[in-house]
Amino acid sequence: MQGVVVGLDLGHSAVKLAYKGKDGEIQKILIPSVTAPATTISDKAASERAMQDTVELDGNRMYVGETALHEGGARNAAGLHHRWIDTITYRALAKNALERVVRDVGRIDSVIVGLPPAILRQRELAVRHLLSSMTDADVRVLPEPGGVSYKMSIDEDGNFIDDAPDTIGVMTIGRYTTDFLVLRGGRWVEKASVSSVGMSEAGEQLRKRLEDRDIQIDHMMADEALRSRSLTIYGKPVEIESDTKSVLSYVASCIIDGAAGAFGDFEVYLEKIYVAGGGAEAMMPELEKIWPHLQLVDDPRFAVAEGFRRYGVARMSIKG
């Protein structure tokens, strides 16, 4: 039986995981990055549904994901800071993600997880130790944008794609940060590994504009409004098109500045610049005005997790 490889992207808005299920099909699961203390749910059907969102940590039962969002609301969402990997929320989300895979396929042989490149050296060991305390699987911690490069250079079965470009730039536009990566001749250029603002900045700007119109929304509603370009309050649609365009344009300018600093003198050598992450589709109209060789990857929100899964499968095949 082929080893079970899990690609794991522990993001501030959602946890994304990719692995092959018992039927050999790739499973992609998204878990909102929200936690709440577990309580008794009287409705039997709802209680049964909540079981997959329940995790025990330090002797306490917690809900994660959709159940936590339903029971506790957006106020229990993950914090927007690099120290969140030290929080109980991060640990609960990671443990629940791994337990879901084990419940489905029985075991895990390899876990590939990412960190923003800017903090990889400082926090790699801590994250590896944390996940290793939750599983007997081999754990590797890689720069998050690297997952995108692996998705574009390795096929679903772990075979390297012969004609994949090896001098590329990557932007992963997440909720908290936009992270950049440059590969030149297939080698990581470490000094290009910097971060800029993420979609939370656009969400916060949108919330402030709506507050000026006496419309109150939480940050998760703002994030969804930016993705869908629509907002419904009390059952009625709210016009946000002009506000959305304005805040997205502002954040795009910040990302462009960040990319210019990251890519620097390497920019003219880049064969492709891949864009992924939960904010990729919203940002593309502004970003593609700047770079003619920009490419939005398929299924951009899962690109990091799926790329890590492919890398893990390839690595396992090489090791034999």
Side-chain angles (χ1 to χ4, degrees), residues 112-190:
I112 315 297
V113 66
L115 279 174
I119 64 168
L120 180 66
R121 286 191 180 277
Q122 301 96 306
R123 307 315 307 272
E124 175 186 3
L125 193 60
V127 171
R128 183 151 52 86
H129 283 172
L130 173 65
L131 294 187
S132 294
S133 72
M134 300 174 179
T135 176
D136 293 329
D138 176 62
V139 176
R140 289 183 64 84
V141 184
L142 304 177
E144 281 175 355
V148 180
S149 69
Y150 293 130
K151 179 179 178 179
M152 304 307 292
S153 60
I154 303 173
D155 68 20
E156 291 184 353
D157 297 317
N159 303 305
F160 287 91
I161 300 170
D162 291 336
D163 59 351
D166 63 1
T167 298
I168 62 168
V170 176
M171 302 183 200
T172 54
I173 306 173
R175 181 160 181 261
Y176 178 41
T177 59
T178 295
D179 298 313
F180 304 101
L181 178 139
V182 169
L183 295 180
R184 189 171 185 185
R187 297 178 63 186
W188 177 26
V189 180
E190 189 166 354

Side-chain angles (χ1 to χ4, degrees), residues 19-316:
Y19 66 97
K20 277 195 176 181
K22 290 180 179 178
D23 59 0
E25 295 296 317
I26 297 171
Q27 305 297 311
K28 295 179 181 178
I29 298 175
L30 184 144
I31 308 165
S33 294
V34 184
T35 59
T39 57
T40 300
I41 299 177
S42 56
D43 181 77
K44 183 178 179 181
S47 179
E48 290 175 352
R49 286 196 300 270
M51 289 302 296
Q52 71 170 353
D53 289 340
T54 304
V55 63
E56 186 167 324
L57 201 62
D58 300 334
N60 299 310
R61 292 176 68 250
M62 301 177 66
Y63 292 140
V64 304
E66 293 291 349
T67 300
L69 193 58
H70 180 77
E71 297 296 323
R75 66 181 181 275
N76 294 313
L80 295 178
H81 49 80
H82 281 315
R83 300 297 301 182
W84 91 288
I85 65 175
D86 299 317
T87 66
I88 193 170
T89 294
Y90 186 92
R91 290 190 289 141
L93 291 166
K95 187 178 182 184
N96 178 260
L98 298 177
E99 288 178 348
R100 286 175 188 242
V101 179
V102 173
R103 283 197 297 268
D104 184 19
V105 295
R107 75 177 202 276
I108 300 173
D109 298 296
S110 175
V111 178
I112 315 297
V113 66
L115 279 174
I119 64 168
L120 180 66
R121 286 191 180 277
Q122 301 96 306
R123 307 315 307 272
E124 175 186 3
L125 193 60
V127 171
R128 183 151 52 86
H129 283 172
L130 173 65
L131 294 187
S132 294
S133 72
M134 300 174 179
T135 176
D136 293 329
D138 176 62
V139 176
R140 289 183 64 84
V141 184
L142 304 177
E144 281 175 355
V148 180
S149 69
Y150 293 130
K151 179 179 178 179
M152 304 307 292
S153 60
I154 303 173
D155 68 20
E156 291 184 353
D157 297 317
N159 303 305
F160 287 91
I161 300 170
D162 291 336
D163 59 351
D166 63 1
T167 298
I168 62 168
V170 176
M171 302 183 200
T172 54
I173 306 173
R175 181 160 181 261
Y176 178 41
T177 59
T178 295
D179 298 313
F180 304 101
L181 178 139
V182 169
L183 295 180
R184 189 171 185 185
R187 297 178 63 186
W188 177 26
V189 180
E190 189 166 354
K191 72 175 184 178
S193 298
V194 297
S195 298
S196 182
V197 300
M199 293 301 291
S200 62
E201 180 65 25
E204 189 59 29
Q205 293 293 329
L206 180 61
R207 288 180 64 202
K208 289 178 179 178
R209 285 170 175 260
L210 291 175
E211 283 176 2
D212 291 340
R213 294 161 55 185
D214 293 324
I215 299 172
Q216 307 292 326
I217 62 173
D218 61 45
H219 66 264
M220 297 194 78
M221 291 179 69
D223 291 348
E224 181 55 34
L226 289 168
R227 272 194 289 269
S228 65
R229 301 293 185 98
S230 64
L231 177 66
T232 301
I233 300 291
Y234 299 124
K236 295 182 179 180
V238 177
E239 198 288 313
I240 60 169
E241 184 63 25
S242 60
D243 289 325
T244 298
K245 284 183 178 179
S246 179
V247 299
L248 289 178
S249 179
Y250 165 71
V251 172
S253 69
C254 295
I255 293 173
I256 290 166
D257 285 345
F263 299 154
D265 295 336
F266 298 106
E267 184 175 321
V268 296
Y269 298 100
L270 302 179
E271 300 168 69
K272 289 280 188 181
I273 299 176
Y274 297 120
V275 185
E281 291 173 299
M283 287 289 106
M284 277 298 291
E286 293 290 332
L287 298 180
E288 62 188 358
K289 297 175 184 176
I290 307 299
W291 294 283
H293 53 332
L294 207 67
Q295 180 178 331
L296 177 68
V297 303
D298 294 334
D299 201 3
R301 202 169 189 191
F302 277 95
V304 170
E306 171 58 13
F308 283 162
R309 186 197 68 80
R310 296 183 185 192
Y311 167 83
V313 173
R315 183 169 176 268
M316 194 170 285

